[in-house]
Amino acid sequence: MKKVSFLMATFCVALCMGLFSCNNSYEPNDPSNSGIGNDNTNTPEEPKPTTGTENGHSWVDLGLSVKWATCNIGAWKPEGYGNYYAWGETSTKSEYTEDNYTYKESPNSALPLIRDAAFANWGGTWRMPTKYEIYELTSSCTWKWTTLNGVNGYEVKSKTNNNSIFLPAAGMYGSFSGLSSLGENGRYWSSELNSNSYEYSPCIDFSEMGFKSNYGYRRYLGNSVRAVCP
């Protein structure tokens, strides 16, 4: 009798274990059985775009503190010369002289947006670059004198992500010489004034011989503008 009872008990235990193993496929490492759905908190973030548009105008991320426009203000292609502006003026003119210069004020900080040629012409969050942002462009990128569709200028390539912009040698407007140095030189305004002399604004200044971020040129001269955005 004891033997029969023992066999029956063994059979019942085996039967229960078999039912459990067939009906419960829970695996502790299977996220589908976590009890909290399939939300994967370790999904990597989508990479940020390195090109885009702001208010209808294209920008490139060079791995710097701001994004740089692909064209000059007044141009619609990278090699386009675009327009020329006296510092603090937002429209073009046929002559750029001290007598017809309209912005005599000397702001204590950056140029007011209403006097910023980039913001005034492109809107959105576009503006002229600061001295520091120009310094970033000259120090954190490689500069190569080249031609793009027959136009001389510099390919400015990021040292961190290899994206690049092209700055054409658009020349400049002088007091008496008019437009000069096309294809030879380029001068691009910053949004600030020289700390030692408010008559000057720092610029990107370049030729085939090299490039620099310098103390600047007289504010009434006509130079190019390359915009930045956040």
Side-chain angles (χ1 to χ4, degrees), residues 92-171:
T92 61
K93 50 193 181 182
S94 59
E95 293 183 333
Y96 293 78
T97 67
E98 192 167 8
D99 289 338
N100 69 14
Y101 183 51
T102 64
Y103 188 58
K104 306 295 186 181
E105 294 87 342
S106 297
N108 294 324
S109 57
L111 188 66
L113 280 179
I114 59 172
R115 285 290 188 168
D116 187 306
F119 176 77
N121 287 276
W122 281 9
T125 59
W126 290 110
R127 59 173 174 79
M128 292 162 62
T130 64
K131 291 185 292 185
Y132 172 75
E133 290 157 359
I134 285 179
Y135 169 76
E136 269 193 320
L137 191 70
T138 57
S139 63
S140 299
C141 297
T142 58
W143 288 58
K144 178 183 177 182
W145 181 261
T146 185
T147 59
L148 179 63
N149 295 326
V151 175
N152 292 335
Y154 270 98
E155 177 193 56
V156 184
K157 180 178 288 188
S158 169
K159 294 179 182 178
T160 59
N161 63 19
N162 287 324
N163 288 339
S164 64
I165 59 173
F166 179 76
L167 294 178

Side-chain angles (χ1 to χ4, degrees), residues 36-216:
I36 57 174
N38 294 324
D39 183 25
N40 188 348
T41 58
N42 295 321
T43 301
E45 294 183 2
E46 290 290 329
K48 294 181 179 180
T50 57
T51 59
T53 59
E54 165 61 17
N55 208 34
H57 299 276
S58 299
W59 54 259
V60 173
D61 183 358
L62 299 173
L64 307 176
S65 62
V66 290
K67 304 176 184 73
W68 283 80
T70 60
C71 302
N72 288 352
I73 299 294
W76 291 96
K77 54 185 179 180
E79 69 273 23
Y81 291 142
N83 295 334
Y84 304 85
Y85 300 92
W87 193 87
E89 295 186 351
T90 58
S91 59
T92 61
K93 50 193 181 182
S94 59
E95 293 183 333
Y96 293 78
T97 67
E98 192 167 8
D99 289 338
N100 69 14
Y101 183 51
T102 64
Y103 188 58
K104 306 295 186 181
E105 294 87 342
S106 297
N108 294 324
S109 57
L111 188 66
L113 280 179
I114 59 172
R115 285 290 188 168
D116 187 306
F119 176 77
N121 287 276
W122 281 9
T125 59
W126 290 110
R127 59 173 174 79
M128 292 162 62
T130 64
K131 291 185 292 185
Y132 172 75
E133 290 157 359
I134 285 179
Y135 169 76
E136 269 193 320
L137 191 70
T138 57
S139 63
S140 299
C141 297
T142 58
W143 288 58
K144 178 183 177 182
W145 181 261
T146 185
T147 59
L148 179 63
N149 295 326
V151 175
N152 292 335
Y154 270 98
E155 177 193 56
V156 184
K157 180 178 288 188
S158 169
K159 294 179 182 178
T160 59
N161 63 19
N162 287 324
N163 288 339
S164 64
I165 59 173
F166 179 76
L167 294 178
M172 69 288 296
Y173 267 94
S175 300
F176 305 104
S177 59
L179 180 60
S180 63
S181 300
L182 278 175
E184 299 175 2
N185 294 87
R187 292 179 186 170
Y188 289 75
W189 288 125
S190 75
S191 63
E192 299 180 74
L193 296 178
N194 186 290
S195 58
N196 296 320
S197 175
Y198 288 166
E199 294 300 313
Y200 298 82
S201 174
C203 296
I204 302 172
D205 185 15
F206 63 76
S207 69
E208 186 176 3
M209 300 302 295
F211 63 92
K212 58 186 176 181
S213 172
N214 71 1
Y215 69 94

